Amino acid sequence: MPLPAGGYQTTGPTCWERMRIGFMIGFCVGLASGALFGGFGALRIGLRGRDLVNNVGKTMIQGGGTFGTFMAIGTGIRC
């Protein structure tokens, strides 16, 4: 039985979409590691309450942005 002509080819994500997905995955991993390392570090120096939340939040965003950027660059190199 012959295959129908055309119409069934699928295309993968573009390079830009892959880089965006790589950034999002890296950002999530960076958020998780920032929560762990920032939380333990802040508790170790004795922060509590609002100071603890602000410090951990800042560490999470910085870690997420950094790791996400490197993941996007690495994904872009592979395209």
Side-chain angles (χ1 to χ4, degrees), residues 10-29:
T10 59
T11 59
T14 64
C15 188
W16 177 252
E17 290 171 346
R18 287 182 184 185
M19 287 178 63
R20 192 180 67 199
I21 291 169
F23 179 81
M24 289 189 295
I25 291 171
F27 192 80
C28 290
V29 170

Side-chain angles (χ1 to χ4, degrees), residues 8-74:
Y8 289 107
Q9 283 186 341
T10 59
T11 59
T14 64
C15 188
W16 177 252
E17 290 171 346
R18 287 182 184 185
M19 287 178 63
R20 192 180 67 199
I21 291 169
F23 179 81
M24 289 189 295
I25 291 171
F27 192 80
C28 290
V29 170
L31 282 179
S33 66
L36 288 174
F37 295 129
F40 287 132
L43 289 173
R44 187 173 45 117
I45 63 172
L47 295 179
R48 298 287 185 263
R50 181 172 286 178
D51 291 333
L52 175 70
V53 172
N54 287 338
N55 193 347
V56 172
K58 182 174 67 171
T59 306
M60 287 173 67
I61 296 297
Q62 287 174 345
T66 301
F67 201 77
T69 300
F70 284 116
M71 283 285 292
I73 291 170

